[in-house]
Amino acid sequence: MKAIYAHYMQQFGLDKPMWEQFLVYLGHLAHGNLGTSFSQYPTSVNSLVAQALPWSIAIQLPAILIGWVVGNLIGAVAAYRGGWFDKGAFVGSLFASSMPYYCLAIVLLFVVGVHFGFLPIGGGYSLGLTPNLSPSFFGDAITYWWLPFWSLVIIFVGGQAVGMRSMAIYELGSDYVNYGRGLGLGDGRIVRYIFRNAMLPQITGLALSIGGMIGGALVTELVFSYPGIGTLLFSAISTNDYPLFSSITLLITLAVLAANFCVEIAYGIIDPRIRAAHSGER
């Protein structure tokens, strides 16, 4: 215990004034050193985050991308076609988007995992296995992946479909649509304009979802005991592991900032009105 105490005193400069401790922290951060975990001493925070981050990316990135594509397609088609398809798609999407992640996770866990026993109900892989890149481990891990994946993608599809439908309906009543029809433009060309403009807010939502991916499914990972960043963050908070949870929240903040920056760059590429505005300023 004395050795551990001396190690933390030396690493964090706890015997120095507060302002100097902060400079020590910034110095370590500049070198990519996130410190040593309190609860899992002497494991470094870097290694813990490196172990958990791929699991969160593997479950959330496909869910976000697939949910974004499928949701936008459903919303766009519903707005364009109208009728019974629009009503059914809207009600279903609104119901899915209004359901909290953890509620759907618990329902899937009970129905698919416990009642029918189709898929495992917890963990990231079978006990006794060591994570590696072999086909046998991948085949085992994918069976634990499906339930958390569906609990995320269903809700994300619903949210994207509702947003895309609303934007597409708004664009369908815009002046440029009526003007284009008055000029005799074909429906195909007008629809491309409508969906391109309606897609802009959806791109913002996609970027922010990717940016917040690190902590976006905290409760879902806890429900399924999935070994991702969300579970690691909850464990750090429960054990007062300050270096660990401060590092995870820092990563979430940086990811959201990077996503916002990428959105600003993407808007200049996607939206010709922004390019025209900048050209006019020059």
Side-chain angles (χ1 to χ4, degrees):
M1 292 300 295
K2 290 181 179 180
I4 294 174
Y5 176 81
H7 173 81
Y8 282 120
M9 291 291 289
Q10 184 273 332
Q11 183 180 47
F12 297 104
L14 299 179
D15 54 344
K16 300 175 182 179
M18 188 66 69
W19 65 269
E20 197 168 347
Q21 293 181 36
F22 183 64
L23 293 179
V24 170
Y25 168 75
L26 292 180
H28 289 162
L29 196 62
H31 291 86
N33 180 12
L34 299 176
T36 304
S37 170
F38 284 174
S39 61
Q40 302 186 48
Y41 181 88
T43 308
S44 67
V45 173
N46 295 55
S47 62
L48 291 174
V49 172
Q51 292 171 12
L53 187 58
W55 292 95
S56 291
I57 293 177
I59 189 177
Q60 293 187 52
L61 186 59
I64 290 173
L65 295 179
I66 294 174
W68 189 80
V69 172
V70 174
N72 282 313
L73 287 176
I74 292 175
V77 172
Y80 184 70
R81 292 186 60 179
W84 64 266
F85 183 84
D86 178 35
K87 295 178 181 178
F90 176 69
V91 172
S93 300
L94 189 62
F95 176 78
S97 63
S98 301
M99 183 182 299
Y101 285 110
Y102 63 88
C103 289
L104 182 58
I106 293 173
V107 170
L108 291 177
L109 178 68
F110 176 75
V111 175
V112 180
V114 177
H115 184 71
F116 291 104
F118 291 152
L119 295 170
I121 61 174
Y125 50 90
S126 298
L127 295 176
L129 295 181
T130 302
N132 57 73
L133 299 178
S134 65
S136 59
F137 178 79
F138 177 80
D140 179 79
I142 199 69
T143 60
Y144 290 82
W145 177 84
W146 284 111
L147 281 180
F149 168 77
W150 282 113
S151 69
L152 295 176
V153 74
I154 291 174
I155 294 177
F156 201 75
V157 165
Q160 293 298 311
V162 171
M164 184 62 182
R165 175 187 175 274
S166 300
M167 290 302 303
I169 290 176
Y170 172 79
E171 295 294 334
L172 282 168
S174 299
D175 291 337
Y176 73 88
V177 174
N178 298 325
Y179 182 70
R181 287 171 175 166
L183 293 176
L185 296 179
D187 287 343
R189 191 169 183 179
I190 293 176
V191 167
R192 285 199 300 271
Y193 290 147
I194 292 172
F195 292 155
R196 185 172 182 179
N197 289 329
M199 190 66 70
L200 294 175
Q202 302 299 95
I203 294 174
T204 303
L206 172 65
L208 295 179
S209 297
I210 295 176
M213 180 174 55
I214 295 177
L218 168 63
V219 181
T220 299
E221 291 184 0
L222 291 177
V223 170
F224 294 103
S225 301
Y226 203 75
I229 286 290
T231 302
L232 185 65
L233 178 60
F234 180 78
S235 174
I237 295 173
S238 302
T239 57
N240 292 328
D241 195 337
Y242 298 109
L244 184 54
F245 73 68
S246 64
S247 299
I248 294 175
T249 53
L250 176 63
L251 290 176
I252 295 173
T253 303
L254 293 176
V256 173
L257 291 174
N260 277 283
F261 178 77
C262 292
V263 166
E264 297 296 331
I265 300 299
Y267 266 21
I269 298 173
I270 298 172
D271 194 344
R273 295 170 294 185
I274 297 178
R275 294 198 301 270
H278 283 289
S279 300
E281 291 176 1
R282 296 193 189 96

